[in-house]
Amino acid sequence: MTTLESEARPKAPAFDKDALRRKYREERDKRLRADGNDQYIQIKDQLAHYLDDPYTPVVDRAPKTDHVTFAFIGGGFAGLVAGARLVEAGVTDVRIVEKGGDFGGTWYWNRYPGAQCDTASMIYMPLLEETGHRPTEKYAHAPEILAQCQRIGRQYNLYDNALFHTEVNALEWDDANTRWIVRTNRGDAFTAQFIGIGTGPLHVAKLPGIPGIERFKGHSFHTSRWDYGYTGGDPSGALMEKLADKRVGLIGTGATSVQCVPHLARACKELYVFQRTPSSVDVRANAPIDPDWFAEIATPGWQLRWLENFTDNQSGGFAAEDLVQDGWTDIARRIREKVMSLPPGEMTQANMLAAWEDADFEKMEEIRARCEALVDDPETAQKLKAWYRQLCKRPCFHDAYLQAFNEPGAHLVDTDGQGVSEITEDGVIVAGQHYPLDCIIYASGFEVGTEYKRRAGFDMVGRNGLKLSEAWGDGMRTLHGVHVHGFPNAFFAQPTQGANLISNVPHNLTDTARTIAAVVKHARDHGMTRVEVTQKAQDDWIELLLGGPPRLLGSPDCTPGYYNNEGKDPGPAVNLFVGYPAGPSAYFRFIEDWRRKGTFEGLAFEA
Ligand code: NDP
């Protein structure tokens, strides 16, 4: 791969561990708040317009009342890859139901300037080998990822049966006829022998519950509904020329904000970035992918080799080489080196955790040193420093975010952990100071900790009227994260209780797609009409998971955010948000073996 000369990494200065621990605690404590997730407001009623699709007009169509073999809810990576594998397995009538106006899921909605993948394209973009697409950059930008989604849709004829701008609002198992009844907000009531659920974890935009939010008379939108009509420019990053005379406020400094701030800072007359908690922003080092290099490495099976290599490196395994070489594998390498440097007799759990903490302090000190190295104004540089462990919040990587605050019109308004206190008709108030604005852009993220059925828009009703919200009343229960007892012929495509590989979610999804296609093919080849996980297999799996290590993300010691339920005790159900005890690589090997055996242990098939 052609590699751009990466910036020199500032060395971590000497540090006092106790002082850092104290600082982390103080910074967390000042952000803790009693309302947790309820500080955000659901987008509905008079705010519903924030969810309107600015990209594709909604087209009238007749409701569907037919039958398909497989219906998949969600047209993002999960649905596309499952659809592709099902087509390969001979199922030609796959119907994907998607609330957006095209395929892409998160990449359909998130077209904000600067959007790009944070995990390397070679492993992040699905089905590269099958479609023959060569990523143009180490970290592809959003339009290229959206185009890949559309390419998959075309190549596997998934457009023919797809329903866009359609939201499922009821999903019910019809036991007598061995099929699911799918109802939608477009009046559809069709049936499907099998269903897949791939609605993703971050698809319901949310707004901060700042008093006065509905009073603002200027222009405003959420980053996942970027209004290029107002800003000018386009998703490829063209200058947003219409902002040249505008005072723009951006609320939020998470992964989305980090990517769009450089573009806004260049375009706006004045940009005010309202910060409650700084993100950790490490080196990105994006680079074009050299076609000659790619031609050399892209030998049959290359993408799976890369996926497995990344997963080995990133999740604590040992691989002879690091093909991807990015911020994620760097985190893992540093922890591994520290742990391995312990003398053999001192490899206790406590020492290993201390070694991990040491690696984290070093890494975060380097990231904090970057702020001083790249930001001209020393006070702004201080305010951009993140005071928590790297995995407390979503780690960010960018080579232009910090420097954007050197632009003459770009202002960081740090709220000392308290957030914007009020929105007025013509601006916002922070710590008693009024900032007049023409436009407010909400980079305020997506619902994570809210109830599953609120985010999905439906509560699945399985065998004997069992609702999913009841089946999971005291926590999620599955076999492999895919099959749920009481819900025949249904498949869940998501990482939890499977590999749980958070650093590269598509790897989980592409693997689950293989499982879905293998099980459906087996059923059809053997004249079976229904398949369901047995209670025992599900219970055994849950017992295995609960015997494993606790979850990696979401420590209550962390600064609040969606990783740790905004700092509030999420209750015992959270203990089920774990993956295979031996780790993601071991899970992928285990499940490949499970599929290859062809007996699909734990599933009961019926004619
Ligand atoms: P986040 O939920 O990460 O960020 C929301 C931001 O809004 C936070 O900075 C939050 O502050 C801030 N906020 C909330 N309320 C207020 C307030 N009252 N005043 C000021 N600020 C406030 O959303 P994002 O859209 O940035 O990211 C969501 C997730 O999407 C990411 O974590 C990532 O998983 C994914 N993503 C992935 C990308 C990729 O892979 N390329 C790119 C972008 C996003 P605080 O931190 O204090 O809560």
Side-chain angles (χ1 to χ4, degrees), residues 40 112 116 118 252-256 276-277 393-394 419-420 443 445 562:
Y40 290 98
Y112 59 83
Q116 68 183 131
D118 256 348
T253 47
T256 298
R276 193 167 67 176
T277 309
K393 273 194 181 281
R394 169 65 147 66
V420 171
Y562 76 84

Side-chain angles (χ1 to χ4, degrees), residues 31 39-40 107 112 116-119 124 202 206 208 210 223 251-257 259 274-277 393-394 418-420 443-446 560-562 566:
R31 290 173 171 82
Q39 66 180 283
Y40 290 98
W107 297 104
Y112 59 83
Q116 68 183 131
C117 57
D118 256 348
T119 300
Y124 183 80
L202 296 161
K206 67 183 189 213
I210 303 171
T223 47
I251 297 186
T253 47
T256 298
S257 177
Q259 293 186 334
F274 297 101
Q275 171 179 275
R276 193 167 67 176
T277 309
K393 273 194 181 281
R394 169 65 147 66
Q418 304 313 300
V420 171
S444 46
F446 303 87
Y562 76 84
E566 301 296 338

Side-chain angles (χ1 to χ4, degrees), residues 304 308 480 483 511 514-519 521-522 525-526 585-601 603 605:
L304 187 59
E308 289 175 347
H480 308 157
H483 321 272
D511 190 81
R514 288 182 198 279
T515 297
I516 296 173
V519 173
K521 181 169 185 332
H522 180 82
D525 287 354
H526 294 82
S585 292
Y587 174 81
F588 289 128
R589 282 194 298 273
F590 157 80
I591 203 73
E592 175 59 16
D593 200 42
W594 181 87
R595 284 190 297 258
R596 199 173 313 114
K597 274 190 197 137
T599 51
F600 304 102
E601 206 181 326
L603 301 186
F605 291 83

